[in-house]
Amino acid sequence: MIRRVALIPGDGIGVEVVREARRLLEALNASESLGLELVDWDLGAERYLREGITITDEEFAALAEYDAVLLGALGDPRVPGNEHAKDILLGMRFKLDLYVNFRPCVLLSPKLSPLRDLVGPLCLEIFRENTEGAYTGMGGSFKTGTSDEVAIEEDVNTRKGVERIIWAAFEFAGSRGRGRVTLVDKANVQRHAGGLWRRVFAEVGAAYADIEQDAMYVDAMVMDLVRRPERYEVIVTSNLFGDIVSDLAAEVTGGLGLAPSANIHPGRVALFEPVHGSAPDIAGKGIANPIGAIRCVSLMLDHFGRSDLGERVEAAVAGSVEAGKTTPDLGGEYSTEDVGQWITARVVGVHAAST
Ligand code: NAD
Ligand code: IPM
Ligand code: MN
């Protein structure tokens, strides 16, 4: 069976980390006869600056026909308005209705966490609503540039949108044997949205009596995530809170460079992207951590029904950290390419040696 995968390296370190993810995909494709067809896509700041085009309707339609997309990152100081990231990344999430943004943050070794005295293990699995909330662009500006300027950014919460992400979080927790699902909101202030989220959370949660359930205000929750992160397992939240909580959860579990994400609507093309951005401060230096992108390969393999291979990738990633084969953000002295090559050799080589 042929599976088509579009690779969109994008900007900055996106290019460097997707190169390593591609190396691993190619090696697995050859060793496991996965039937993957990898297709490179030139979307990003360069193309926008060159042609004035971010992404066309035809390109969206073509991407929708793929089985998966791997995106590096979009963001470039030469495009301060971030128009291309909004059109391409948010465009895919919204137009393809990829309503689950799944962001697993797994601590590989307590020594990686900035938190003192952490003994681990830690596995924070965030279900971020991905198609509405504060991200719709609804609202507007009035009297822009004057002292009477008004800027309105609506926060859109629909029954359908809230229900399906909460349902996805509980389904995942139930099927994977997770002990707790935590809703994160700001229901003490955002009474309309908070009321909807809390009612739906209680309704959907009623079918999962074995799972502990709690709802927390986002300010108290992020404080608590630093104080006692081991208390959290599956976290479900809105688009904006999910964006913020996922960067914090990634850092608590070892660093932004380690975290992958999947944008899913069952039955449709799935979009995988590391949680981090294009990191202009380190772009071009060859020191970006490729593990977030490599873990996207692991999530993609799970998605394709090959969680055996996904586990092998995770084990190789853990092996690289254990062996100190890491980029400088994790205290190592290795390059993006060194780490990518090491992990790929481990995934393909160790298995070949043991069979
Ligand atoms: P960022 O995630 O790019 O960087 C934040 C910090 O983390 C920087 O110090 C960076 O060097 C470090 N970092 C990030 N990834 C790393 C890695 N793999 N290895 C080592 N260090 C890493 O966030 P930012 O600086 O706020 O954003 C830069 C640009 O990226 C902006 O234009 C932003 O909009 C965009 N962005 C894009 C995505 C995406 O495409 N999915 C996600 C987040 C931010
Ligand atoms: C992310 C990013 C994006 C978001 C930006 C680049 C639009 O921060 O994927 O976490 O806010 O969702
Ligand atoms: Mn983000």
Side-chain angles (χ1 to χ4, degrees):
M1 180 183 177
I2 301 287
R3 285 204 174 91
R4 295 175 71 231
V5 179
L7 299 175
I8 307 176
D11 307 328
I13 64 166
V15 177
E16 300 165 52
V17 299
V18 167
R19 195 180 294 136
E20 299 314 314
R22 183 188 232 286
R23 181 195 308 283
L24 175 60
L25 277 168
E26 276 176 357
L28 277 169
N29 205 19
S31 69
E32 302 292 324
S33 308
L34 293 179
L36 300 180
E37 189 187 313
L38 307 179
V39 182
D40 292 310
W41 277 64
D42 174 25
L43 296 177
E46 285 296 340
R47 196 258 183 122
Y48 179 49
L49 292 168
R50 194 174 64 234
E51 300 174 18
I53 295 170
T54 54
I55 180 168
T56 64
D57 289 344
E58 291 73 30
E59 286 166 335
F60 272 124
L63 284 172
E65 297 303 316
Y66 278 76
D67 295 289
V69 176
L70 174 64
L71 183 143
L74 293 167
D76 188 301
R78 294 170 299 168
V79 187
N82 223 15
E83 292 85 359
H84 66 306
K86 281 181 205 136
D87 285 0
I88 300 166
L89 179 60
L90 299 186
M92 283 196 69
R93 292 178 185 167
F94 280 70
K95 289 192 177 161
L96 302 172
D97 199 33
L98 306 177
Y99 63 90
V100 175
N101 193 335
F102 174 58
R103 299 189 150 185
C105 298
V106 181
L107 182 65
L108 294 168
S109 160
K111 72 176 187 219
L112 292 181
S113 180
L115 300 183
R116 263 187 298 126
D117 307 329
L118 187 75
V119 284
L122 213 50
C123 177
L124 307 167
E125 292 166 315
I126 297 162
F127 281 73
R128 168 189 180 191
E129 201 293 318
N130 215 22
T131 54
E132 48 186 54
Y135 274 65
T136 63
M138 289 172 71
S141 300
F142 183 51
K143 297 189 179 177
T144 309
T146 74
S147 56
D148 292 326
E149 180 162 352
V150 180
I152 296 177
E153 207 78 55
E154 298 287 3
D155 187 351
V156 179
N157 298 264
T158 68
R159 168 89 202 190
K160 172 182 159 189
V162 171
E163 191 172 286
R164 64 186 181 174
I165 188 68
I166 291 177
W167 188 86
F170 274 110
E171 246 325 277
F172 174 88
S175 63
R176 306 289 176 103
R178 304 297 192 256
R180 184 193 296 268
V181 178
T182 303
L183 169 67
V184 179
D185 63 20
K186 188 67 186 171
N188 51 344
V189 175
Q190 298 181 322
R191 295 201 170 274
H192 308 293
L196 174 62
W197 279 85
R198 291 210 171 195
R199 261 182 288 118
V200 175
F201 186 70
E203 277 170 34
V204 176
Y208 298 87
D210 296 344
I211 298 176
E212 277 187 60
Q213 308 172 19
D214 58 356
M216 293 188 68
Y217 303 138
V218 63
D219 49 352
M221 187 273 178
V222 292
M223 178 278 284
D224 203 39
L225 192 58
V226 171
R227 194 175 57 161
R228 41 173 195 165
E230 63 285 349
R231 186 183 169 279
Y232 295 92
E233 294 185 43
V234 175
I235 295 160
V236 63
T237 190
S238 65
N239 209 340
L240 183 58
F241 294 154
D243 180 45
I244 299 164
V245 170
S246 58
D247 269 32
L248 177 60
E251 201 57 31
V252 163
T253 51
L256 198 47
L258 292 170
S261 78
N263 301 261
I264 305 278
H265 181 134
R268 297 194 182 174
V269 58
L271 165 64
F272 300 88
E273 36 143 3
V275 173
H276 66 73
S278 56
D281 54 339
I282 58 164
K285 296 185 177 162
I287 55 166
N289 193 337
I291 289 179
I294 284 173
R295 279 177 149 172
C296 285
V297 171
S298 168
L299 291 181
M300 192 189 297
L301 292 164
D302 289 349
H303 182 73
F304 287 160
R306 293 300 307 266
S307 50
D308 57 323
L309 296 180
E311 278 164 24
R312 239 160 79 189
V313 173
E314 284 299 312
V317 165
S320 77
V321 168
E322 207 173 302
K325 292 274 175 197
T326 60
T327 44
D329 54 311
L330 298 189
E333 55 191 24
Y334 294 90
S335 69
T336 309
E337 188 177 342
D338 292 335
V339 174
Q341 281 177 341
W342 194 94
I343 292 172
T344 295
R346 182 84 165 208
V347 171
V348 181
V350 166
H351 186 73
S354 68
T355 49

